[in-house]
Amino acid sequence: MSGFAASFWTPDYATGLGVLYGKLQQGVVENKQIITIASMRADAEDQYGARLGDIAPTVDRLTGAGFAKDDGASVKKAYEGVRTEMVEAAKNHQKIASNIRELVVSPFRRWCDQHEARIQNSHDDLQARIKEHTKQADLVKKLRSHYFNKCRVVEDLEEENKLAFQAPEASPPVKAPPKIVLPEEAEEEEPMEIGDHVYTPEGLKQLLVHILENIKMGDVKVPIIGTYQNTSTGADIVEYTQKHMNATSVSYAERIGQDLVDNGLLRLVGNMGSTFANSSKMRYQWRPKVFQITGIPEKKTPLLRVTSMANSEDGSESPISTVSEMLAGWNPLNNAHPNETPAEKLRREAREADERYKVAVRKLDQIRCKLEEEIVENLRFMEQCELDRLKAIKAVVLDFSGAISNVIPNLQSTVDHMMLYQETIQPLGDLRYLLENYRTGGFVPRVQAYENYYGSVEDQNFGVDLEARARADRKRVPVLVTTLLTYLDNRYPDLEGDEARRAIWLYDVPLAATHHLRNVLNNSKADYQEVLEKYEVPIVASVLKLYLLELPDSLVSSQVYEIIKTIYSTTAHETTEEGRIKVLQSTLGQLRLNNIATLDAVMTHFTRLIDLTSADEAYISALAQALSPCILRPRVESSLTMNERHSYRLIRDLFAHKDAIFGELKRQSSALGVTGSISRPRAISTDESNRRAAMEARARAIVDRTRANSPAPPRKHRRDRSSGPSEAGRFPVNVSSPTERRTVTRNSLDVPSSNSSPTAQEQLSNVNINAATEAAATEATPNGTSSDSSVSATANETPSSGTSTPPPMAAVTAPEDSPTPTPTPAADVEKRASITRASFTRKPGLGNRSSFPVIPSGESGTDSKRNSLADSEPKGVTLEDKPMDDD
């Protein structure tokens, strides 16, 4: 069962937390109801005991002798016994009331007050964090727009300069192509917070119209400067807020006035500063922004003592701002940029805007990480508090029944019923019910990455589109992913036992430790190997899962989520397992090549981990459940998608049928390499560097659209096989021998001290789809398949003197048409035993890689070579690294 920390996440953070804290506040009300029940029962017992105690004195006050003169009659003894029982009953009921107040009401009320304070403090802390994050996100949006506008101005100026000084023969033709003008982005009006209320643009307009109609306004004359129009005193504004805006105190009314000043609706005149005060001597001018919003004409008269007047930044005619601007512009001796041309000034402003945008994005990323850490810590604390509350209620019911049962045995039936009610309370069951019915979504961070105007991802890794990051690395799989998988392969033999190797993917690593490593790895120029050596293995595994979670789209794109949902929603009698696998192959074939290659690399790693550690069904199920949000997520998570298990079932099929699914995908890709290229969806590019060129090309196409097409055949896209060192690179890579690995022993998942800065790391080998020559070899095989067309992920070998290094754990084996060697019983026992350094790096029955015969890709080879290869290598997938093609 997932906890609070993985169940109440939404893209805006506030919605999911609002649902949780709403339920926690409901628990506070439930506590008060239990206290009310116990208090009223104590009062009722007290009143009942008092009424029973009044019976004997009332009877004794009756006039006449009565039983007082009857010394030994049996009737008198019966009367006295009845009277005594009533007095004892009164004492018992009063004792019940005292026990309920001392054992139930008083201690539980104190605990409930502390519980309510804990919930309120946690809620206020997270609200402050979310408000800070939202404010920084808005600032990033504004700086991004400002930066893009500056780049557009620079680009337009360069284009104008290029066309303005051409020679006469190079001048453009008389008939200029039509010019396309892109509309400017209109800024949306944002709500305004005044006091404790947030006003929409329409609500703000109504408020300001009512203010201008009810607050007295006049003119004030300031010595030397002149006369200000449309002014009101601070006392009049405070009086209005107390009367019409529910300002219960003067301090709250002054805070409302200060918000009007800070939001640019008021300004202090005749004094320096911008402080609002409840004073009849301090006057404030209503700015032109108020009259623009309300549509009421502004009263304007020319100032008498100033002949030349300039408008201030907000449009108001202010002599003070005019003098300030004149003094700011008059600086003939201290020019920061002397002899600067307009073009150079625009470029400098664009660079400065870019730097401000970068700094804001980095700050937003830090705030987001800190916010997520605070949310996780608070949600775990609130989960424990809610569990304690349910246990406390269980204890209160027990104490309540004990307070009654210890005094009146005659109420045993009532006590038995109360004990039965107490036994029916299940704290864990109630907590599970809350999670199942009110959870809003899993932990999927929304990273706002830096967007370069020219489309470059620069040096950031996390939160960047997978295809863009792979294109920057010139690999099919991002270098960070291959590095993490390779590092884990190298560290597996250093762990003691298969249980420790399997458990690293199920550890609940603190988010702060994961973010610490993430912030170091977010720089693509860092020395990954040196950095990873400082951290525990579970933290490295957690960073890989966090990288997949922070992708803008899941590894298996959300565009095919509905298709996969349809596949697994079909009942068992309507489709067979073979048919389901074929449909999965077709569906995954729609993904981009980078997504397919990365998914194949990740699945290869986990299937080998499961196979070599002899993982049981329980571990495979837990691993698939942990990886499901990393591999496939819906576009928008809702109450329906949270209970669906299609991602889990997809991962189980990928674990069980990885070779069949990816082998078919690689064969299809090889065949397409001969017959033609396939169009795959690409990520939406934000690159505007070729905007002017694209506009001119479109204009030329409009002018020349009546021109006949050329009779020459169209030029086909051609992609040659890569050569050189990249041919030997396969995924996963192994850059060092297992004997050369350094074993680092740590006692906890701690964060290392960052006393050394990371350096650049050498480029690692990556994966790609086989070229067209492999498809040609496929046609030559009688059964339609070929050993050269199969795909397997093998390790990148590091040559040593006279020996060959065994492949790492993620190394993949032989072609598909070669039979898999049947392991001997001894080999089978060796496979299930604890993995040593030598046995972990290759499957049972395999020799050194140096003994494998090599058949060049695209050549059929002799039968002896085929038989030798079939006997020496098991089944698997081969993924080759190739140069990127941005077309």
Side-chain angles (χ1 to χ4, degrees):
M1 179 183 66
S2 58
F4 283 6
S7 301
F8 293 97
W9 296 87
T10 51
D12 60 345
Y13 297 106
T15 303
L17 294 178
V19 173
L20 172 62
Y21 281 93
K23 294 299 298 179
L24 294 178
Q25 288 295 334
Q26 177 183 338
V28 172
V29 177
E30 293 173 359
N31 295 341
K32 294 180 180 179
Q33 290 176 339
I34 292 178
I35 293 176
T36 304
I37 288 178
S39 300
M40 294 184 69
R41 177 61 185 267
D43 295 339
E45 292 288 343
D46 201 358
Q47 293 176 6
Y48 184 48
R51 294 299 299 272
L52 287 177
D54 293 338
I55 294 176
T58 302
V59 174
D60 293 339
R61 286 195 299 268
L62 292 177
T63 59
F67 287 105
K69 289 188 176 182
D70 197 355
D71 295 332
S74 60
V75 178
K76 178 180 179 180
K77 294 186 179 295
Y79 165 77
E80 290 177 351
V82 172
R83 182 180 178 277
T84 304
E85 289 297 331
M86 289 186 178
V87 174
E88 290 298 323
K91 294 180 180 179
N92 289 334
H93 282 284
Q94 290 176 350
K95 188 175 182 180
I96 290 175
S98 177
N99 288 344
I100 291 176
R101 291 190 180 100
E102 293 177 2
L103 300 179
V104 178
V105 177
S106 297
F108 189 61
R109 178 179 282 120
R110 289 193 299 269
W111 186 91
C112 290
D113 293 340
Q114 297 172 359
H115 176 73
E116 184 177 3
R118 287 191 292 266
I119 293 177
Q120 190 62 39
N121 292 338
S122 176
H123 178 267
D124 295 343
D125 184 33
L126 292 183
Q127 285 295 325
R129 294 281 185 182
I130 292 175
K131 187 174 181 180
E132 180 184 8
H133 177 268
T134 304
K135 183 178 179 181
Q136 185 66 21
D138 295 338
L139 177 62
V140 167
K141 187 185 300 182
K142 292 180 182 178
L143 292 178
R144 176 183 178 274
S145 177
H146 181 67
Y147 165 54
F148 279 26
N149 291 336
K150 288 293 183 181
C151 291
R152 292 190 183 100
V153 172
V154 172
E155 190 179 48
D156 294 339
L157 179 63
E158 293 175 353
E159 192 67 20
E160 291 173 2
N161 292 338
K162 182 174 65 176
L163 297 177
F165 301 99
Q166 289 182 349
E169 61 275 9
S171 60
V174 177
K175 185 178 180 181
K179 182 178 180 181
I180 300 175
V181 180
L182 297 176
E184 296 182 357
E185 297 180 0
E187 296 184 359
E188 298 180 0
E189 297 182 356
E190 298 181 354
M192 184 176 295
E193 183 178 0
I194 300 177
D196 293 337
H197 298 278
V198 178
Y199 293 88
T200 61
E202 185 63 24
L204 180 63
K205 179 179 178 181
Q206 296 177 2
L207 175 64
L208 294 178
V209 169
H210 192 267
I211 288 175
L212 295 180
E213 292 175 354
N214 291 274
I215 293 182
K216 184 188 302 183
M217 291 190 297
D219 300 340
V220 60
K221 185 175 181 181
V222 179
I224 300 176
I225 297 178
T227 303
Y228 289 86
Q229 291 80 33
N230 305 319
T231 62
S232 302
T233 64
D236 292 339
I237 297 174
V238 168
E239 181 181 0
Y240 173 83
T241 56
Q242 290 180 335
K243 184 176 181 181
H244 299 283
M245 299 182 69
N246 299 325
T248 57
S249 62
V250 176
S251 60
Y252 180 65
E254 289 182 342
R255 185 153 63 91
I256 293 177
Q258 188 64 45
D259 290 342
L260 294 174
V261 174
D262 295 339
N263 290 318
L265 304 178
L266 281 179
R267 59 173 295 182
L268 176 64
V269 299
N271 291 284
M272 300 300 293
S274 60
T275 303
F276 183 87
N278 177 24
S279 173
S280 59
K281 296 182 180 180
M282 299 181 68
R283 303 189 67 89
Y284 298 86
Q285 183 185 35
W286 297 96
R287 291 179 177 265
K289 180 179 179 180
V290 176
F291 299 94
Q292 293 174 3
I293 294 175
T294 59
I296 298 176
E298 180 183 5
K299 179 182 177 182
K300 291 185 178 180
T301 57
L303 297 177
L304 299 178
R305 305 184 68 88
V306 181
T307 57
S308 176
M309 185 63 61
N311 293 335
S312 60
E313 295 179 357
D314 57 352
S316 63
E317 296 180 348
S318 172
I320 298 178
S321 62
T322 303
V323 174
S324 301
E325 291 176 0
M326 293 175 61
L327 294 177
W330 185 70
N331 190 11
L333 299 179
N334 297 326
N335 189 3
H337 304 281
N339 302 326
E340 187 179 42
T341 63
E344 294 174 349
K345 180 180 179 181
L346 291 176
R347 295 188 185 94
R348 176 178 55 81
E349 291 176 352
R351 290 192 301 269
E352 293 174 353
D354 185 20
E355 289 300 323
R356 289 193 295 270
Y357 175 42
K358 285 182 180 179
V359 172
V361 168
R362 296 191 190 101
K363 183 177 180 181
L364 175 61
D365 195 63
Q366 295 175 357
I367 293 175
R368 180 191 60 80
C369 292
K370 188 64 178 177
L371 171 63
E372 291 175 355
E373 294 171 13
E374 290 289 336
I375 289 176
V376 169
E377 293 297 328
N378 279 271
L379 291 188
R380 288 177 177 171
F381 179 65
M382 287 297 100
E383 180 178 0
Q384 184 62 40
C385 290
E386 182 65 10
L387 185 60
D388 291 343
R389 186 187 73 86
L390 297 173
K391 292 180 179 179
I393 293 177
K394 184 180 179 71
V396 163
V397 175
L398 180 62
D399 294 340
F400 189 75
S401 61
I404 299 175
S405 63
N406 293 337
V407 179
I408 305 180
N410 295 332
L411 297 178
Q412 190 62 42
S413 60
T414 303
V415 174
D416 292 340
H417 292 163
M418 297 179 67
M419 291 295 294
L420 179 61
Y421 299 149
Q422 182 265 340
E423 289 294 338
T424 58
I425 297 177
Q426 301 293 334
L428 291 178
D430 290 351
L431 196 63
R432 182 181 295 106
Y433 173 81
L434 190 152
L435 289 171
E436 291 176 352
N437 290 275
Y438 295 97
R439 63 192 303 260
T440 59
F443 174 59
V444 180
R446 298 294 190 272
V447 180
Q448 187 164 348
Y450 165 72
E451 300 178 31
N452 188 270
Y453 178 78
Y454 301 101
S456 172
V457 297
E458 293 192 353
D459 55 353
Q460 54 187 349
N461 286 317
F462 290 81
V464 181
D465 182 73
L466 187 69
E467 186 179 25
R469 183 66 264 171
R471 186 186 302 114
D473 293 340
R474 304 194 65 82
K475 301 291 182 182
R476 281 298 178 196
V477 178
V479 169
L480 179 63
V481 177
T482 58
T483 304
L484 293 176
L485 292 176
T486 304
Y487 176 79
L488 292 173
D489 285 338
N490 295 337
R491 289 300 303 274
Y492 282 137
D494 299 335
L495 303 177
E496 296 181 0
D498 296 340
E499 186 67 24
R501 299 183 181 99
R502 293 192 298 264
I504 67 169
W505 294 100
L506 301 181
Y507 273 126
D508 187 9
V509 180
L511 190 59
T514 306
H515 277 162
H516 191 279
L517 178 56
R518 174 213 184 257
N519 294 335
V520 178
L521 296 178
N522 202 20
N523 185 1
S524 62
K525 299 179 181 179
D527 188 351
Y528 297 146
Q529 191 66 27
E530 180 179 352
V531 170
L532 295 177
E533 291 291 340
K534 302 177 183 179
Y535 291 84
E536 294 288 341
V537 178
I539 299 179
V540 179
S542 178
V543 164
L544 179 59
K545 292 189 289 186
L546 181 64
Y547 174 83
L548 297 177
L549 285 175
E550 290 189 354
L551 290 177
D553 192 6
S554 55
L555 194 55
V556 177
S557 176
S558 59
Q559 297 177 358
V560 300
Y561 182 83
E562 291 299 328
I563 302 177
I564 294 178
K565 177 179 178 180
T566 304
I567 295 173
Y568 291 107
S569 299
T570 307
T571 56
H573 67 274
E574 295 179 2
T575 180
T576 61
E577 182 176 357
E578 181 180 358
R580 186 177 75 252
I581 298 306
K582 289 183 179 180
V583 177
L584 282 178
Q585 291 171 351
S586 176
T587 302
L588 295 179
Q590 302 176 22
L591 302 178
R592 299 175 296 186
L593 294 181
N594 304 100
N595 291 57
I596 296 176
T598 305
L599 181 62
D600 182 29
V602 173
M603 289 299 109
T604 300
H605 183 91
F606 287 114
T607 51
R608 287 185 55 80
L609 174 65
I610 293 171
D611 182 45
L612 294 177
T613 60
S614 302
D616 55 4
E617 178 64 23
Y619 175 78
I620 297 175
S621 177
L623 180 61
Q625 188 68 30
L627 294 177
S628 58
C630 304
I631 301 300
L632 175 62
R633 301 185 295 272
R635 184 183 303 274
V636 178
E637 192 167 16
S638 62
S639 58
L640 297 178
T641 59
M642 284 187 295
N643 297 324
E644 294 175 348
R645 294 173 57 85
H646 309 308
S647 304
Y648 168 80
R649 294 170 182 167
L650 172 64
I651 295 177
R652 292 302 302 266
D653 279 343
L654 291 177
F655 284 167
H657 308 284
K658 185 193 76 69
D659 293 338
I661 293 175
F662 288 100
E664 180 63 24
L665 290 177
K666 301 301 172 51
R667 283 192 290 273
Q668 292 177 3
S669 181
S670 299
L672 289 172
V674 177
T675 58
S677 62
I678 184 171
S679 61
R680 292 185 177 272
R682 298 177 67 93
I684 299 176
S685 175
T686 59
D687 185 6
E688 298 191 11
S689 59
N690 297 326
R691 179 168 63 91
R692 178 65 63 181
M695 292 167 56
E696 294 179 354
R698 184 175 183 274
R700 288 194 298 271
I702 294 174
V703 175
D704 301 337
R705 61 184 175 182
T706 57
R707 185 182 301 171
N709 295 330
S710 173
R715 184 176 181 182
K716 298 293 184 180
H717 174 69
R718 181 173 180 269
R719 183 174 185 173
D720 295 332
R721 175 182 294 276
S722 60
S723 60
S726 62
E727 283 188 344
R730 299 171 183 269
F731 182 80
V733 270
N734 181 21
V735 295
S736 64
S737 173
T739 57
E740 299 174 355
R741 301 169 191 147
R742 183 177 61 184
T743 302
V744 180
T745 303
R746 296 185 180 91
N747 297 325
S748 62
L749 301 180
D750 55 341
V751 178
S753 59
S754 56
N755 53 8
S756 62
S757 58
T759 59
Q761 183 193 20
E762 62 180 11
Q763 295 294 333
L764 301 177
S765 300
N766 218 318
V767 277
N768 195 358
I769 308 301
N770 287 341
T773 54
E774 301 183 10
T778 304
E779 300 177 357
T781 308
N783 56 4
T785 61
S786 171
S787 62
D788 295 333
S789 64
S790 63
V791 255
S792 66
T794 58
N796 189 15
E797 301 173 347
T798 303
S800 59
S801 59
T803 61
S804 64
T805 304
M809 171 186 165
V812 188
T813 51
E816 288 191 5
D817 58 346
S818 61
T820 304
T822 303
T824 62
D828 190 64
V829 172
E830 180 185 359
K831 169 184 174 182
R832 286 174 168 78
S834 177
I835 302 178
T836 61
R837 187 179 299 273
S839 64
F840 189 84
T841 56
R842 56 179 180 272
K843 288 189 175 182
L846 296 179
N848 293 333
R849 289 177 54 89
S850 59
S851 62
F852 290 174
V854 179
I855 299 180
S857 177
E859 298 179 6
S860 62
T862 62
D863 294 339
S864 61
K865 291 181 179 181
R866 289 182 178 273
N867 295 335
S868 175
L869 181 61
D871 295 338
S872 59
E873 294 185 337
K875 243 177 145 176
V877 236
T878 300
L879 300 177
E880 289 192 26
D881 186 15
K882 294 188 177 181
M884 289 290 296
D885 190 351
D886 293 334
D887 293 338

